[in-house]
Amino acid sequence: MIFITAKFQILPEHADDWPEISRSFTEATRAEDGCLWFDWSRSLDDPHEYVLVEAFRDGDAGGAHVSSDHFKAAQAELPPYLAATPKIVSQAVDQDDWNELGELAVD
């Protein structure tokens, strides 16, 4: 799978509204056939930062995502709400779902 984590620094006046601002992009991405997950979290340390954790089945699914109409729309619609260019880590990993964190196993 392609595993991606991205950090989005949102302009302070839009930070509380980011879930709604990004909703159509989020919902369309989650509906993609090759999307495994697409989850936003708000930073505990910085109220203007959102972290996106996403995964796609494979490179073809990732390519379909960045070629989609909703991705192109997001490229035009979302930057005015951002304080900086998002930062990203993207890696192909040899698994297809989350693994358990054995060091914190719950009996």
Side-chain angles (χ1 to χ4, degrees), residues 28-62:
T29 301
R30 288 177 176 166
E32 292 176 22
D33 181 50
C35 180
L36 300 175
W37 57 80
F38 194 85
D39 298 324
W40 292 99
S41 298
R42 196 168 191 175
S43 171
L44 296 176
D45 297 323
D46 180 350
H48 306 130
E49 182 180 81
Y50 283 81
V51 178
L52 176 61
V53 178
E54 56 186 302
F56 297 91
R57 181 182 57 241
D58 54 27
D60 290 340

Side-chain angles (χ1 to χ4, degrees), residues 2-6 8 18-19 21-32 34-41 51-56 61-62 65-66 68 70-71 74 78 88 98:
I2 306 301
F3 185 84
I4 301 164
T5 303
F8 289 71
W18 183 252
I21 291 166
S22 62
R23 182 175 308 284
S24 64
F25 177 55
T26 298
E27 290 175 353
T29 301
R30 288 177 176 166
E32 292 176 22
C35 180
L36 300 175
W37 57 80
F38 194 85
D39 298 324
W40 292 99
S41 298
V51 178
L52 176 61
V53 178
E54 56 186 302
F56 297 91
H65 171 62
V66 298
S68 68
H70 56 271
F71 189 90
L78 298 182
I88 187 171
W98 291 94

Side-chain angles (χ1 to χ4, degrees), residues 74-95:
Q75 286 180 295
E77 296 167 6
L78 298 182
Y81 300 98
L82 303 177
T85 300
K87 298 186 182 305
I88 187 171
V89 174
S90 177
Q91 290 292 311
V93 295
D94 188 24
Q95 60 190 76

